[in-house]
Amino acid sequence: MIITPFAASHDSAVDTLLDTCFGPARGRRTAALLRHGAKRRDDLSFVAHVDGALAGAIQLWPLNLVGEGRHHRILLLGPLVSAPAHRNRGIGGALMDTALAAADATGERAILLIGDAPYYARWGFSAARTAHWSLPGPVDRARLLLRAPDLPPLPRIAALAPAVSPRARAA
C-alpha cells in the first residue's frame, strides 16, 4: 500500500469510489452539508493505492464552531473510504494514522467526524463533548465524535458550519 497526499487529480476516482460505497444520496447527508462551500485541506487529506489502483481515501475540511460568544476553527474528518475489494486490510486505519499525524504536526488538534464510536475510539474520538452542538441536518448524537486532546474545553452549546472561503461566498 502506498499513501500519498490528496490532489485535485484524485477527485474523479475518489467520487466514483464514494458513490460505490455510500450511494449517490451521500451528497444530502449532514456531513456533506457541513463540507458544502468549504475548501478541502489537501495537505491533511490522503489517498491509498494498492498495486496502482485506488484503495481508499480520507479528507479533512475546515469548520467553524460558534458558541458561548466564541468562534473556533475545527476540522471535519470524512469521508474515510476503502474500496470494497480492499476492505479489512488496514487501509482505513493507515489513512487515519496518516491524516491525524499530519493534522497534529500542523497544530490542528480539534477534529470532528460522524461515524461509529467503537471504530474511531482507538484514535481518541468520542461523543462526550458534542451533545448540544447544532448541525445543518439530522445526526445520531452517538455518532457525532470529537477528538480534541490537550485543548481547553470547547463550547458546550454551539453551532457548526463550513468554513467557507471568500471565493466560495462570492460565487
Side-chain angles (χ1 to χ4, degrees), residues 123-139:
W123 291 283
F125 286 89
S126 84
R129 296 165 68 179
T130 63
H132 301 287
W133 291 2
S134 64
L135 289 86
V139 67

Side-chain angles (χ1 to χ4, degrees), residues 1-69:
M1 170 179 33
I2 298 171
I3 296 178
T4 60
F6 205 109
S9 61
H10 297 119
D11 283 337
S12 179
V14 170
D15 281 344
T16 299
L17 178 59
L18 291 168
D19 283 344
T20 298
C21 294
F22 299 120
R26 67 183 173 84
R28 294 189 298 272
R29 292 183 177 172
T30 298
L33 297 174
L34 282 170
R35 292 188 298 269
H36 183 74
K39 184 178 181 334
R40 178 184 57 232
R41 290 282 307 267
D42 287 350
D43 61 323
L44 304 178
S45 300
F46 298 89
V47 293
H49 288 87
V50 173
D51 297 328
L54 180 67
I58 189 169
Q59 300 174 59
L60 281 96
W61 306 80
L63 293 181
N64 290 317
L65 177 71
V66 181
E68 300 172 4

Side-chain angles (χ1 to χ4, degrees), residues 25 34 57 66 69 72-74 78 88 92 99 102 113 132 145 151 167:
L34 282 170
V66 181
H72 303 272
R73 196 178 90 175
I74 66 174
N88 300 313
L113 61 82
H132 301 287
L145 309 175
L151 285 180
R167 189 179 307 165

